Amino acid sequence: MSILLNKDSRIVVQGFTGSAGTFHAKQCMAYPGTQIVAGVTPGRGGQTHLDRPVFDTVEDAVRQTRANASLIFVPAPFCADSILEAMDAGINLIITITEGIPVLDMARVKRAIESARRGGRDVRMIGPNCPGVITPGQCKAGIMPAYIHKPGPIGIVSRSGTLTYEAVHQLTQVGLGQSTVIGIGGDPIAGSSHADILGLFESDPETEAVVMIGEIGGAGEEEAAKFAREHMKKPVFGFIAGRTAPPGRRMGHAGAIVEGGSGTHAGKIAALRECGVTVVDNLSEIGATVARSLKKELAA
Amino acid sequence: MKLLEHESKELFRSKGVPVPPSGGVIDSAGKLASALKRAGKAPWVIKAQVLAGGRGKAGGIKLAKNPKEAREAAKAIIGMTLVTPQTGAKGIKVKEVLIETGAKIEREIYFSVVLDRKSAGPMIIASAQGGMEIENLVHSNPDAILKFPVDPTTGLLDFQARKLAFALKLPAERVGEFVKLAKNLVRVFVDYDCSLVEVNPLVLTPKGLVALDGKVVTDDNALFRQPVLAAKKDHEASALEREAKKHDISYIGLDGDIGCMVNGAGLAMGTMDTIALAGGMPANFLDVGGAANEERVTKAFQIILKDPKVKAVLVNIFGGIVKCDMIAAGILAALKKIKLKVPLVVRLQGTNVEAGRELLAKSGVKLISADSLWEAAQKAVAAVKEARN
């Protein structure tokens, strides 16, 4: 088991023939188990790219290849439209790597997703501005360096790309593999929240513990901590970046900004501790902390 | 990007939000006479144009009843260093003032449109108690704050605006006027891709409702479709930050002495935090980005070293798309162009890490290498201490 992605996932790549789409689709295809079944680039339907059929529309791709997940590299100005197209074609897992989507575009996308979910459809969006999703040993849909991962019991959910790689690398080094690793992205409005993903990990029998990586800005980590306290039995470990970031300045990610005293590092750490999340203060200690704590649990 | 008051009001005007008659912005008292003429009859208000709240209490806003007072006010404010709770102790130097005619204030209201992450869209925040800091009101009287989520596709609807007007206890004869203004402020937010539109205060005058102040923050991601905003200067960014941006490098200057070069925003923050944990202070936030190449690494070095406070440089790269050997080549190329006078600590991890480390080792360049970030941070802090002694 795993969450969201596995060896049965059939992925269509939107923005397939562009430079980012081409480079990363190739890397995903090279990861054992991954099924990239089609690509979409409007106007290039009927062609073949990387040995895969290219379609003009996502609808065509779904009809002819039974794709059930989408990986999006479409440039920011057109990306919201591509997400909505994937939804309209019936895709229920939409992973958007694209960075720089206007926040009001995401507001409109999020409304569409929520209204579909209220109607009973289990559609999920991951991202934007994220490294994607990987289920080690089964499927990679994203831009992460695959070789640092290994299959195992730890679920990871994170707002940041390279910070996730750091955590994965440390866990692998201490012998702890990962069930699924998910980047939810660094934008103020994201398709999925930390809490959404925690819920999925809690119901996944193969995940034994979760590492949650957050940063300053917003209230996603606080809400996730509350969720963990109320709905989770599995241990959760948390790291929050941005202790030294000055308020009011945007730290690279559009979502990483302390506004009007909310979303501070201290506030998030306090909320995590209060809810029983094990807080890791030193970024280099994530792997060691999880290993130590799980060993203790086994001994008990 | 944060806009100055006069820039914010320019957007307001373009969407039909009433603002006080303006004499424009001047940068010297010599240009005052024509500005007063443009503004109209006395009294006038002379307002410092800086990106900080609390200007009034700090002496950055003055009322003038005649040209002599206006001249004194303009002379006093232009060139002054304004220190408010939002500027920090160093304060901000005032370069320009806005000249407006004064308004007869009957009542003050607080009105803003913010991007609300939870409801995933714009949200109006309003209060019948205008003029004061909304953050204080949140603590002292949270019930006095009204919150109305808005659908960005439809904008503010008439009945929603009416509800808001009645909740703000506006007199019945002002409701129609308020509905129009509130809808237009939401249009400013949506049409210009804003993340904040704040009017504090929005005032009732005998002549009608007027946005007496204006604060706008726009979404950088939307600049490709906002030509008016894209043409504006980012007043908050320092010269160095603007230079970095031109090269797609995300850089923010800080107060410490350890310069950082990192790939990824989260890891860049994590690196800053680790330096602090090791007993040092970061000199900057710097994300070279996912598509970093040799040229960009060189540029990043140049930018970091332009800050005279920097006493050591820490490079922390976790290769994913970015390959460590490319970064190593970039570091070597940069060191050929720049004479590095401070210690350099390099921590490489991830894609092609062995090739990267080998390149650095073979080059014979003097640098301190580290395996983990923690080790790198400790070494950088130690290097700075040593340089001081």
Side-chain angles (χ1 to χ4, degrees), chain B residues 25-235:
Chain B
V25 173
I26 55 168
D27 57 7
S28 79
K31 295 171 185 165
L32 185 67
S34 55
L36 293 180
K37 204 186 242 172
R38 280 195 299 272
K41 271 189 209 153
W44 299 290
V45 187
I46 289 86
K47 307 179 85 175
Q49 296 300 289
V50 292
L51 292 174
R55 290 173 299 168
K57 274 185 195 150
I61 300 176
K62 287 189 188 327
L63 185 73
K65 292 192 284 293
N66 53 56
K68 185 171 165 268
E69 280 182 20
R71 199 178 163 73
E72 278 161 15
K75 272 188 156 168
I77 298 174
I78 296 171
M80 82 182 285
T81 299
L82 203 61
V83 180
T84 85
Q86 290 183 21
T87 61
K90 270 190 283 178
I92 295 187
K93 189 153 183 177
V94 180
K95 290 180 191 147
E96 294 175 326
V97 291
L98 170 67
I99 312 293
E100 286 182 340
T101 56
K104 264 205 190 99
I105 300 171
E106 292 172 347
R107 227 188 101 183
E108 298 190 340
I109 292 168
Y110 175 91
F111 188 105
S112 68
V113 191
V114 303
L115 177 81
D116 180 52
R117 301 187 194 216
K118 204 165 180 185
S119 62
M123 166 110 85
I124 292 177
I125 297 180
S127 171
Q129 301 178 22
M132 65 184 294
E133 288 281 325
I134 199 71
E135 286 94 347
N136 297 342
L137 197 58
V138 170
H139 296 296
S140 63
N141 191 5
D143 293 342
I145 295 174
L146 305 164
K147 291 183 175 180
F148 281 71
V150 179
D151 185 333
T153 314
T154 59
L156 186 66
L157 301 172
D158 281 24
F159 80 88
Q160 293 173 316
R162 272 200 310 274
K163 251 193 192 166
L164 192 55
F166 291 123
L168 289 170
K169 299 197 167 53
L170 286 174
E173 70 274 14
R174 300 312 259 295
V175 169
E177 191 192 345
F178 176 83
V179 166
K180 199 172 149 209
L181 183 142
K183 288 177 73 170
N184 284 341
L185 278 170
V186 170
R187 275 177 61 208
V188 169
F189 186 95
V190 175
D191 292 357
Y192 287 110
D193 276 295
C194 298
S195 52
L196 172 74
V197 170
E198 185 179 64
V199 182
N200 189 23
L202 173 66
V203 296
L204 266 72
T205 75
K207 285 183 192 159
L209 286 158
V210 179
L212 210 56
D213 197 0
K215 184 176 169 188
V216 168
V217 181
T218 62
D219 175 10
D220 286 354
N221 285 349
L223 286 180
F224 69 87
R225 63 184 178 203
Q226 297 293 351
V228 172
L229 299 174
K232 289 193 189 303
K233 188 175 154 184
D234 182 350
H235 300 282

Side-chain angles (χ1 to χ4, degrees), chain A residues 103 147 162 166 242 244 249, chain B residues 219 225 241 263 273 347 350:
Chain A
V103 69
Y147 78 96
T162 41
E166 181 74 48
T244 48
R249 298 303 306 271
Chain B
D219 175 10
R225 63 184 178 203
E241 289 167 10
N263 65 327
D273 296 350
R347 185 261 179 156

